Amino acid sequence: MMIVMNISWIERESNPMTAIPSVLVTGASTGIGATYAERFARRGHDLVLVARDKARMEALAARLRQENGVAVDIIQADLTKADELATVEARLRDDARIGILVNNAGTALGGSFIEQSTDDVARLVALNTTALLRLASAIAPRLAKAGEGAIVNVGSVVGLAPEFGMTVYGATKAFVLFLSQGLSLELGPKGVYVQAVLPATTRTEIWQRAGADVNTLSNVMEVDDLVDAALVGFDRREPVTIPPLPDAGQWDALQAARQAMLPNYRNEHPAERYRTIG
Ligand SMILES: NC(=O)c1ccc[n+]([C@@H]2O[C@H](COP(=O)([O-])OP(=O)(O)OC[C@H]3O[C@@H](n4cnc5c(N)ncnc54)[C@H](OP(=O)(O)O)[C@@H]3O)[C@@H](O)[C@H]2O)c1
């Protein structure tokens, strides 16, 4: 273990651009993001932590520096605020040591659509989609130019299931999945790995923040298990990782069914069923 750490250190010092990239994690103050930060620190990556709660990030950073000997920077930012988001975008654009972006920050919202305020749903979309998109857009050209690196986008199985009744949240996560799949097709050939991670119910503060008690829910995954599984998918370079799904063949079948429809969209005329009235 000592030897591995020393080699990591030497590589980092001699070739800081590519040897062992820094990882920028959003939503790193707690939950899935904090767990990603810990796992990447254990692997010897320097970190940039982003969230609003500076004190929590400082405590995590101190522990990770001490336990793993990595460098940890903190950016305090509310990613729904354009000027604060711009600071993180600039860091991703300009800091060539950052080779991995974990686009994890996100939140949920309780209530049905007509109960949720227009401002609240707009804020949800700003964090879960606009911020995630802007950060991916900030780093992607640099990674593509370097021909390496990774973007991890944390979506949700809710993005596959309007039936779950979290409509706006699910819509943001459907965006995350589509964006990730599209970016994987665009950036994969340029050497940049893009992964969508789709957790289901995981024990974090997100439930409490949305006004729910996670202890009343069943089949709750522990956050350590979720992130460890997501990292197995990361190491395998899976485009889409769904840790709770037992049969990967079901996902493959869904993708095959979707792809089988693609040639059928190319038609000059509306389908026969729309050419008769009534
Ligand atoms: N837990 C689940 O059951 C579950 C299931 C599927 C998907 N997910 C997804 O997993 C991701 C992480 O969620 P989690 O469960 O770990 O939730 P969490 O415990 O509530 O953590 C959310 C993180 O995002 C940060 N954050 C929230 N609002 C922010 C803002 N405006 N600007 C910057 N950072 C902000 C929070 O830190 P601060 O408060 O310090 O800013 C925190 O670090 C989210 O994208 C979520 O949608 C979670």
Side-chain angles (χ1 to χ4, degrees), residues 51-155:
R52 293 167 302 179
D53 190 328
K54 199 173 175 200
R56 275 180 126 179
M57 288 190 288
E58 273 169 355
L60 176 63
R63 181 166 68 80
L64 298 183
R65 286 184 198 112
Q66 209 229 331
E67 288 176 358
N68 305 285
V70 295
V72 185
D73 285 354
I74 288 167
I75 305 178
Q76 182 181 28
D78 181 337
L79 298 175
T80 64
K81 298 197 170 137
D83 54 334
E84 298 181 28
L85 177 57
T87 308
V88 187
E89 290 170 32
R91 181 69 182 260
L92 287 169
R93 241 180 242 113
D94 299 341
D95 186 345
R97 291 168 303 177
I98 300 174
I100 301 174
L101 164 63
V102 181
N103 242 333
N104 160 79
T107 195
L109 201 55
S112 67
F113 187 57
I114 57 173
E115 291 163 348
Q116 294 167 339
S117 80
T118 307
D119 284 345
D120 282 349
V121 289
R123 244 191 315 273
L124 184 71
V125 169
L127 180 63
N128 290 12
T129 65
T130 307
L132 176 139
L133 170 69
R134 290 194 66 104
L135 297 180
S137 175
I139 196 174
R142 185 169 59 72
L143 297 186
K145 197 169 170 212
E148 62 184 8
I151 300 173
V152 177
N153 295 322
V154 180

Side-chain angles (χ1 to χ4, degrees), residues 184-231:
S184 179
L185 292 172
E186 285 197 41
L187 300 177
K190 298 183 191 304
V192 182
Y193 168 52
V194 181
Q195 181 192 28
V197 175
L198 277 53
T201 308
T202 308
R203 192 179 311 280
T204 69
E205 292 169 14
I206 198 170
W207 296 97
Q208 190 190 328
R209 290 176 199 249
D213 180 358
V214 71
N215 296 314
T216 64
L217 306 173
S218 52
N219 303 315
V220 180
M221 191 175 288
E222 297 302 328
V223 69
D224 288 320
D225 292 340
L226 181 274
V227 174
D228 286 338
L231 285 170

Side-chain angles (χ1 to χ4, degrees), residues 155-175 177 198-201 242 245 251 254:
S156 168
V157 294
V158 179
L160 296 167
E163 295 79 5
F164 288 174
M166 300 168 73
T167 304
V168 181
Y169 176 78
T172 67
K173 295 304 184 177
F175 175 93
L177 175 61
L198 277 53
T201 308
I242 311 178
L245 184 71
W251 173 255
L254 178 63

